[in-house]
Amino acid sequence: MAPRVNGKVVTPTGVIRQGCVELDGDRISAVAEYPSVRDGHWILPGFVDIHTHGGGGHTFTTGDAEQARAAAGFHLRHGTTTLLASLVSSPFALMRDATAAYAPLVREGVLAGIHFEGPYLSAARCGAQNPEFLRDPSTDELTELIELGDGAVRMVTLAPERDGALEAVKLLTGRGVVAAVGHTDATYDQTRAAVAAGASVGTHLFNGMRPVHHREPGPVVALLSAPNVVCELVADGVHLHDGMLAFASTTAGPERTALITDAMAAAGMPDGEYELGGQAVSVADGVARLSRDGAIAGSTLTMDAALRHAVDAGIPIADAARMVATTPARAIGLGDRLGALQIGLRADLVVLDDELNVVRVMRGGSWVE
């Protein structure tokens, strides 16, 4: 008999209350009703976090491979079976060194890829990004990073109003890298131009963006209304009011909204003093802010906590499961391999109790110790 996991199985089309997921090695071989199951745990696809800077006291932002391995391990224990290592705005030398350091981890499967959040961002909307490192997009820099990474560079966030941004978007998408719009003061039309050029992700929608105005809708409306754009949302009750979280997820639907953590090293750690991209960060009551001006500096979120928050905000669990797994996997081009409890996909799953706390995590058909 094939190994199976029984419980309330959350699939892309709904919940099988008495269900099972059958396994064949590292793949899912069947998802079906299993009438003998009684009051089982929730079974969700493994979470896919496409935007995280660290966790468990470890960071992705310095280009240190052992730090990256430890951060990935921390998030894995919270149900994140796939994640991108996100850097913040940095000198090109650090971007190059991080690409070289993380490419082996991508080949090993510890990371799904590298996400450069910057440095091609708006000074007016830089948030916790270090303004010292902001600059216009460079196709020469991007080409070198893509070739050095040999498939490791998965996503780049930029501001479409900066000189050279559209050329950068076209280069990225032409080389199989996701172009994301974020930390931007762009107009509605400038944002639509970036989408037309190939941008397909909105980086932490609303945060680090020109706000919505009825005479200038700005990037938020342009991204929410674009049928080919996945909008990231930070569901921690700090970055977004729950009403805005519900509005965005209803407007774009679970097939175009992805929950992310935007976590920094302080995730899972006590309040105190930390660092992000060379800037001091103070964490109080679990909220990370720049010490110099109080700007929100990432989060202390984990994906299981984001899921719980979304469900508490009124998002149905089947929709929330798509937002933490299926949609982000598709956004970074991995939807044909993972991100859902479907036959043939990698056997990544999270077992949750009725309060949606993590009980067990499986990655590639093996339970995580």
Side-chain angles (χ1 to χ4, degrees), residues 8-17 42-47 249 253-259 306-308 310-312 314-328 339-342 352 356:
K8 298 185 282 280
V9 180
V10 182
T11 75
T13 57
V15 178
I16 304 174
R17 288 281 167 174
W42 290 99
I43 305 172
L44 272 66
F47 307 145
S249 60
E255 67 278 4
R256 289 209 304 111
T257 44
L259 300 187
L307 174 78
R308 289 191 294 272
V311 172
D312 287 345
I315 297 173
I317 190 167
D319 288 347
R322 292 180 70 179
M323 294 164 66
V324 295
T326 313
T327 299
L341 300 182
Q342 289 182 317
L352 305 169
L356 304 182

Side-chain angles (χ1 to χ4, degrees), residues 46-50 52 72-84 110 261 302-304 324 350 358 361 363:
F47 307 145
V48 179
D49 191 356
I50 62 175
T52 176
F74 165 79
H75 284 290
L76 179 60
R77 293 188 292 275
H78 286 271
T80 299
T81 52
T82 301
L83 88 171
L84 299 185
V110 174
T261 64
T302 53
M303 286 293 273
D304 57 324
V324 295
V350 185
V358 174
V361 180
R363 187 176 191 276

Side-chain angles (χ1 to χ4, degrees), residues 9-268:
V9 180
V10 182
T11 75
T13 57
V15 178
I16 304 174
R17 288 281 167 174
Q18 295 173 285
C20 73
V21 179
E22 290 191 359
L23 312 173
D24 182 6
D26 66 349
R27 299 285 147 182
I28 296 171
S29 58
V31 179
E33 288 192 53
Y34 197 53
S36 62
V37 172
R38 294 290 183 272
D39 299 320
H41 289 312
W42 290 99
I43 305 172
L44 272 66
F47 307 145
V48 179
D49 191 356
I50 62 175
H51 188 157
T52 176
H53 301 287
H58 309 283
T59 185
F60 293 126
T61 61
T62 59
D64 183 289
E66 291 311 307
Q67 286 271 319
R69 187 182 295 276
F74 165 79
H75 284 290
L76 179 60
R77 293 188 292 275
H78 286 271
T80 299
T81 52
T82 301
L83 88 171
L84 299 185
S86 300
L87 282 85
V88 292
S89 296
S90 311
F92 180 63
L94 175 54
M95 298 170 73
R96 189 174 52 228
D97 290 347
T99 302
Y102 293 167
L105 297 183
V106 175
R107 290 192 289 271
E108 187 181 334
V110 174
L111 305 173
I114 301 165
H115 166 215
F116 289 111
E117 187 185 13
Y120 316 123
L121 308 175
S122 163
R125 304 290 176 186
C126 65
Q129 298 280 336
N130 193 330
E132 177 184 347
F133 302 132
L134 302 182
R135 55 193 185 272
D136 289 333
S138 165
T139 53
D140 288 343
E141 287 185 358
L142 290 169
T143 298
E144 184 173 341
L145 294 171
I146 292 167
E147 292 178 353
L148 177 63
D150 191 23
V153 177
R154 179 70 63 169
M155 182 162 70
V156 176
T157 297
L158 47 74
E161 72 273 23
R162 295 210 69 134
D163 289 344
L166 296 187
E167 290 79 3
V169 169
K170 292 173 184 176
L171 168 70
L172 291 167
T173 55
R175 299 292 294 269
V177 179
V178 176
V181 172
H183 286 281
T184 175
D185 200 39
T187 64
Y188 176 82
D189 288 339
Q190 287 172 322
T191 307
R192 283 174 58 87
V195 172
S200 59
V201 168
T203 294
H204 48 49
L205 196 75
F206 300 103
N207 300 113
M209 290 185 179
R210 176 196 290 245
V212 176
H213 188 277
H214 56 283
R215 285 189 291 273
E216 171 43 69
V220 171
V221 174
L223 294 166
L224 268 181
S225 60
N228 59 322
V229 170
V230 170
C231 298
E232 297 179 351
L233 301 170
V234 187
D236 62 353
V238 176
H239 284 74
L240 295 177
H241 187 283
D242 284 354
M244 195 60 82
L245 173 67
F247 167 77
S249 60
T250 300
T251 300
E255 67 278 4
R256 289 209 304 111
T257 44
L259 300 187
I260 60 164
T261 64
D262 195 16
M264 58 164 301

Side-chain angles (χ1 to χ4, degrees), residues 274-288:
Y274 294 87
E275 182 266 348
L276 180 67
Q279 300 184 102
V281 174
S282 299
V283 178
D285 298 323
V287 179

